[in-house]
Amino acid sequence: MTMLPVQVGISIDRFLISVTPLKAKNVVLMHRPRWVEIAYSLLSWFLTSKMKKRVTMIEKGDENEMLEKIVGGTSLIPANFGDFEGDLIVDIVGKQHGHEIVIS
């Protein structure tokens, strides 16, 4: 039982369905605290092998190499993205929508 009117509940459901992704192709976990590793190891018992393949845990020291491999090269990594040596200086999402945003 809910405290919301039926129409409000339907509207919220439609909104959540329209804005949430239906499928994550890859989840990258890097610079994670120890509790995340423990939580993932417990959660992995309930994940299918297909879902386990979609989670990539990057170890310290392998960040640059693995991030380039996963993302598709330094041309797609922003210039000031942490300790990484990216080449991207324009926001590619904003560019697709007609906004020219320079990353500084």
Side-chain angles (χ1 to χ4, degrees):
M1 185 165 174
T2 179
M3 300 297 287
L4 296 173
V6 174
Q7 287 301 326
V8 173
I10 291 172
S11 296
I12 291 172
D13 283 344
R14 285 185 184 162
F15 173 75
L16 290 175
I17 289 171
S18 66
V19 299
T20 53
L22 298 178
K23 178 170 79 170
K25 294 191 179 217
N26 195 5
V27 176
V28 180
L29 301 173
M30 52 194 268
H31 300 288
R32 59 197 182 277
R34 180 75 178 130
W35 66 266
V36 172
E37 294 178 17
I38 295 169
Y40 179 73
S41 65
L42 293 173
L43 181 67
S44 66
W45 287 42
F46 303 102
L47 296 177
T48 63
S49 61
K50 187 175 180 181
M51 287 303 296
K52 288 179 188 176
K53 289 178 186 175
R54 292 182 182 172
V55 176
T56 304
M57 290 194 165
I58 300 178
E59 301 301 326
K60 291 184 180 181
D62 296 336
E63 294 98 345
N64 287 338
E65 178 184 315
M66 288 296 293
L67 195 61
E68 286 179 25
K69 180 182 172 188
I70 292 168
V71 173
T74 58
S75 63
L76 299 173
I77 300 173
N80 296 326
F81 187 70
D83 297 333
F84 306 101
E85 302 169 5
D87 299 329
L88 183 66
I89 58 170
V90 176
D91 182 13
I92 56 177
V93 175
K95 191 174 183 180
Q96 288 290 329
H97 296 286
H99 307 291
E100 195 74 18
I101 301 170
V102 177
I103 300 169
S104 57

